[in-house]
Amino acid sequence: MDKSFWKIFALSSAVKILLIPAPHSTDFEVHRNWLAITHSLPINKWYVDETSQWTLDYPPFFAYFERMLAYVAYYVDKEMLNLHKLNYNTIATIYFQRCSVILMDFLYAIGVYRCLRVSNVPLKSQQYLATASLLLFNVGLLFIDHIHFQYNGFLFGILLLSISYMLEERYVLSAFIFAILLNFKHIFLYIAPAYAIYLLKFYCLAKGRNKFICITKLLVFGLIPFVISFAPFHNQMEQVLKRLFPFKRGLTHAYWAPNFWALYNVGDKVAAKLLGITTKTGPTTSSGLVKEFAPLVLPNITPRTTFVLTLLSMLPIMIKLLAYTPLRDAKATFLRAIVICSCSAFMFGWHVHEKAILMSLIPLCLLFHLYPTDAKHAFLLSVVGYFSLFPLLFETSLLVLRYALYLFYMFLMYGQMVRLYTPLRDYKTNLIENCYIYGFVLLPIYEHILSVNLNLHLSLPFLPLLLTSVYCALGVTYFFISYYLYTLGIKPVALFKSFTKIETTSKTKTKSKTRTQQINGDKVKLK
């Protein structure tokens, strides 16, 4: 075991301990309520209970995890397990839940360690220390888990363990661990297509392997976690699935995740304004409520529409992974496919939360130390993605902390990128990218200075969130297109030049043909 790695982990854990007193979100009460549900009620009531509005909506493995935490919580403060004590947040409860997140991050550290080990990065090298620091000090996890409050760290630890075994070509074990992950948090279904195609090509269809046996192994070990997870609820499957997939929550969240639908909502509002269509009575998409809204001008979007768009956006990378990826490029393409699949779902999915951007950011860190272009894209998406999490940390007492942590992490990432790739040019951002990055300075100036001094925060309270969402959506969209083209091996400049060349050649031929016709016509006339 490398001592430097665990020193970094210890230091990151110390930072997390210092964040224990930080204000938390309603998700703190969500998880406290889940402790109470799983402790106080029989298992057949877990997905039925509605004592609190924060009903259980994670897969059964996470419910079992909450049940195990409840055994310990009973000896810390048994009142936190009282189902009817809503918004219960004593000091003991706060410290127990905060510390449980910190302790579970050990599994995240194991996942990071294994991924570094299988990537054959020399211990104590700059690449090793850079990647370890960026993953263990991940500012997104600090924001979401250790301030806002959730349990994402250990879930990403399970994902990284699965990825590490995939890179070691221990395919069945990787699939088994990924199936376990899906039964903890089903949002990781976003990246299931990358797993499915990779396993099909490089395991089931590999030379020298029995296809039937390989597929059978994957099916058996992939289904075992689902059987164990859902077996106690076999009579309640419809109710459980309703909780896991609540389509009535609407296309976008209260704060729009910075994706295609944020731009779509703005486009609808602008079109309505230009056409003079007034807003119907009642709340709208910018009211900060979680419910379904119909656009005023643009077509209404259904869950089926988002599902089809998401699958179509994943199709090119799936085709590349299946048909155009040689064995020597397989592992890097697999990691990029995970990033692209998760980003596709983030861009076009139904009711996407802003936190889902971590599903692209964390796997992308694994490529940071290997390729300069991946490092550049990781930096660009980090600038956008982590900034887009600020609305989750809206309390005034968190303003200095959130900006300090964000700037520290971005300077750390940029510094590591420069140290790793200084002789190369592929990591450098261009003029447009630099201007876009510098534009982020304007958002806090408006939110904290202009909005307050001009009293716009009273008349337009949602505007800072809208500006953040839309500006970040432009960055995520740029990353998605740019990184997709890079992964597919298409250079935008070369593509533009080739189109220009074709167009110019076509125009030249057309002009030449027209001129010839004119000359021939003149000749005919002369005759």
Side-chain angles (χ1 to χ4, degrees):
M1 301 290 273
D2 177 49
K3 291 183 179 180
S4 61
F5 177 88
W6 296 108
K7 286 179 180 178
I8 297 172
F9 174 66
L11 188 58
S12 67
S13 299
V15 172
K16 295 167 187 176
I17 291 171
L18 292 175
L19 293 175
I20 287 177
H24 52 75
S25 70
T26 53
D27 278 340
F28 182 89
E29 170 61 14
V30 170
H31 287 280
R32 188 215 61 82
N33 188 58
W34 292 358
L35 287 174
I37 289 174
T38 54
H39 175 81
S40 306
L41 299 177
I43 196 169
N44 63 341
K45 300 292 184 182
W46 288 3
Y47 288 95
V48 178
D49 178 73
E50 294 183 349
T51 305
S52 166
Q53 63 176 314
W54 311 120
T55 54
L56 181 60
D57 58 6
Y58 273 27
F61 273 3
F62 201 94
Y64 304 151
F65 165 69
E66 293 279 6
R67 173 63 173 149
M68 288 188 290
L69 283 180
Y71 282 117
V72 183
Y74 180 84
Y75 295 99
V76 176
D77 182 356
K78 63 182 180 181
E79 288 302 311
M80 79 172 81
L81 304 177
N82 188 328
L83 193 60
H84 300 282
K85 288 209 170 183
L86 305 180
N87 299 311
Y88 187 81
N89 58 353
T90 61
I91 295 296
T93 304
I94 291 172
Y95 272 76
F96 170 75
Q97 292 201 195
R98 290 287 198 192
C99 290
S100 66
V101 177
I102 295 172
L103 291 173
M104 289 304 297
D105 276 357
F106 181 72
L107 185 57
Y108 175 69
I110 294 293
V112 173
Y113 182 82
R114 288 206 86 262
C115 283
L116 285 172
R117 195 182 73 179
V118 301
S119 61
N120 297 319
V121 182
L123 296 178
K124 298 183 180 179
S125 66
Q126 188 61 40
Q127 293 95 328
Y128 184 91
L129 295 175
T131 307
S133 299
L134 293 176
L135 285 167
L136 295 178
F137 276 102
N138 186 274
V139 74
L141 290 177
L142 291 179
F143 284 167
I144 296 173
D145 283 9
H146 302 282
I147 300 178
H148 180 79
F149 192 84
Q150 277 191 355
Y151 290 91
N152 291 289
F154 88 91
L155 297 175
F156 278 105
I158 298 173
L159 173 63
L160 293 177
L161 282 174
S162 175
I163 290 174
S164 70
Y165 286 116
M166 186 74 83
L167 298 180
E168 280 186 329
E169 299 178 11
R170 299 167 70 178
Y171 300 111
V172 176
L173 181 56
S174 174
F176 178 71
I177 294 174
F178 184 69
I180 291 174
L181 176 62
L182 293 179
N183 284 277
F184 270 101
K185 196 167 184 178
H186 52 303
I187 195 174
F188 289 96
L189 278 169
Y190 288 173
I191 60 178
Y195 268 81
I197 297 297
Y198 190 84
L199 288 168
L200 175 65
K201 178 173 182 178
F202 296 102
Y203 177 59
C204 297
L205 302 180
K207 291 181 180 180
R209 294 186 186 273
N210 186 303
K211 298 177 182 60
F212 177 78
I213 293 176
C214 291
I215 293 173
T216 302
K217 282 183 179 179
L218 289 177
L219 287 175
V220 170
F221 285 95
L223 289 175
I224 285 174
F226 285 90
V227 173
I228 296 173
S229 176
F230 285 92
F233 306 97
H234 67 281
N235 291 327
Q236 298 177 299
M237 287 303 297
E238 183 178 354
Q239 174 62 21
V240 173
L241 292 176
K242 282 182 180 178
R243 286 285 183 86
L244 297 184
F245 301 98
F247 293 115
K248 293 297 181 182
R249 289 184 179 178
L251 175 64
T252 52
H253 195 49
Y255 157 58
W256 304 343
N259 59 11
F260 176 78
W261 303 121
L263 302 177
Y264 190 85
N265 284 343
V266 170
D268 180 67
K269 287 185 172 296
V270 171
K273 191 74 174 177
L274 293 175
L275 296 173
I277 300 176
T278 56
T279 306
K280 298 175 183 178
T281 305
T284 65
T285 53
S286 58
S287 302
L289 300 177
V290 179
K291 58 182 294 184
E292 289 185 287
F293 299 99
L296 296 172
V297 178
L298 299 179
N300 191 33
I301 304 299
T302 64
R304 182 178 297 177
T305 304
T306 62
F307 180 74
V308 171
L309 285 175
T310 300
L311 285 184
L312 288 176
S313 66
M314 292 180 181
L315 196 58
I317 188 61
M318 295 297 98
I319 293 173
K320 176 179 174 62
L321 191 59
L322 180 63
Y324 298 101
T325 301
L327 185 59
R328 67 178 182 275
D329 299 329
K331 294 176 181 179
T333 305
F334 170 64
L335 291 175
R336 292 179 184 130
I338 288 177
V339 174
I340 289 173
C341 283
S342 59
C343 199
S344 295
F346 184 85
M347 284 290 293
F348 302 107
W350 178 266
H351 196 77
V352 174
H353 286 231
E354 62 287 329
K355 300 179 281 286
I357 196 65
L358 289 183
M359 293 180 61
S360 297
L361 284 163
I362 289 179
L364 193 53
C365 281
L366 297 176
L367 291 159
F368 182 88
H369 66 282
L370 297 176
Y371 306 97
T373 307
D374 290 274
K376 170 189 169 179
H377 283 94
F379 177 73
L380 288 173
L381 187 61
S382 295
V383 170
V384 179
Y386 297 129
F387 191 98
S388 73
L389 300 177
F390 281 174
L392 298 175
L393 314 176
F394 57 86
E395 292 89 346
T396 305
S397 59
L398 290 175
L399 293 181
V400 174
L401 180 61
R402 79 184 192 185
Y403 287 120
L405 289 173
Y406 173 78
L407 290 174
F408 167 78
Y409 189 80
M410 295 319 305
F411 279 123
L412 172 67
M413 176 174 269
Y414 185 77
Q416 296 296 342
M417 186 167 63
V418 170
R419 292 190 67 179
L420 288 175
Y421 303 114
T422 294
L424 306 174
R425 298 182 61 185
D426 292 354
Y427 79 92
K428 294 183 178 180
T429 50
N430 58 42
L431 179 62
I432 295 175
E433 293 163 348
N434 287 332
C435 290
Y436 175 77
I437 291 172
Y438 297 145
F440 277 96
V441 176
L442 300 177
L443 295 177
I445 289 175
Y446 171 79
E447 181 179 0
H448 306 306
I449 300 176
L450 296 179
S451 177
V452 176
N453 286 284
L454 299 176
N455 290 324
L456 296 176
H457 65 294
L458 300 177
S459 56
L460 299 169
F462 193 72
L463 187 56
L465 293 178
L466 187 147
L467 291 174
T468 300
S469 179
V470 171
Y471 194 72
C472 290
L474 293 173
V476 175
T477 303
Y478 174 83
F479 163 83
F480 179 67
I481 296 172
S482 176
Y483 194 67
Y484 217 138
L485 292 175
Y486 159 69
T487 302
L488 295 177
I490 301 172
K491 295 182 179 180
V493 176
L495 188 65
F496 175 76
K497 285 181 178 178
S498 66
F499 281 136
T500 305
K501 187 176 179 181
I502 292 170
E503 187 179 355
T504 304
T505 305
S506 177
K507 286 181 179 179
T508 304
K509 288 182 178 178
T510 304
K511 287 180 180 179
S512 176
K513 186 177 180 181
T514 305
R515 180 61 179 162
T516 303
Q517 289 173 343
Q518 288 175 348
I519 292 172
N520 291 335
D522 290 342
K523 285 182 179 179
V524 170
K525 281 184 179 181
L526 287 172
K527 287 181 180 179

